[in-house]
Amino acid sequence: ILNRQSLTDLMSQQMCYPIQHRIVVWRYLLQLPMNEEQYINYASQPLHEDIRTLPNRLPIRFSNVSHRLVRVISALTYWHPPLAECDWLPSLVFPFLKMFERDSLTLFEVLATIICNWCVEWLHFTPNPPITVISRIEHMAKQRGYHAPQEVVWPALRSFFSEVSTTEACLMLIDNILSAKPNYLDYLILSYCMRPNRRIDELNVHAIIQKARQMYEKDAMNNPNQGGFTPLPKGFYPVLNIVRKSANWKQKELERIRLEAE
């Protein structure tokens, strides 16, 4: 029976969900509204003009996988046009393609929910990496005597670990990401950066998750970044009010963040 307490108990004991129930659990956790009519309005459109060159820029050959990846990115771009500029979007989409290969609506809503809850801060820096998030994780690492450089943090962050881990380890980490507040992702990235061998597999993923939990629980009371989870509304998809900043503002903001990190 799906309820928060049973899932919390299961996650505490096993650190992941059963493979055969993972899709159902994810749908429950994310409270997907299944706005089929609104989704069809996006998905039935021709390939979005702003991503028509995307297939030529993907690191994978043209196949059913790449076709589905491009189609869902097109639908997401019709929903929120600035996503066309996000070079990280294919990396974020990829680990979810196989999980929902027969259910495009669920795939779209899972990704839209993740973008609304875990990636809004990223959108403020499009098309660049989210320097606020990366600097925050680097600051957390320095407090513990480690380093978390951008070239290590960003590939793991933008792909929800799929670029730096085996498939099964990645799915286990996503189980943990979706089961906690969005800021828990920072601690999983931090735990990964603290490993001497920055590659995640079934042998070390439990240790990475356990260390992240310990750091997260220790910081929980004093962490200002405690935003909760908000599901997509029923009947429509939300408008993301991302304010485009001037180049001069961005330069000043980057300098402020750099000074704070030091």
Side-chain angles (χ1 to χ4, degrees), residues 17-34:
Y17 298 120
I19 296 172
Q20 66 271 30
H21 301 309
R22 184 169 270 143
I23 290 177
V24 175
V25 172
W26 286 6
R27 289 178 62 168
Y28 173 82
L29 290 171
L30 297 179
Q31 304 172 48
L32 303 182
M34 306 307 287

Side-chain angles (χ1 to χ4, degrees), residues 28 35 46 51 75 91 93 117 125 129 138 182 191 198 209 229-230:
Y28 173 82
N35 295 331
I51 66 159
S91 296
V93 171
N117 286 276
F125 292 88
E138 169 65 1
S191 180
R198 287 167 176 162
I209 293 169
F229 170 79
T230 303

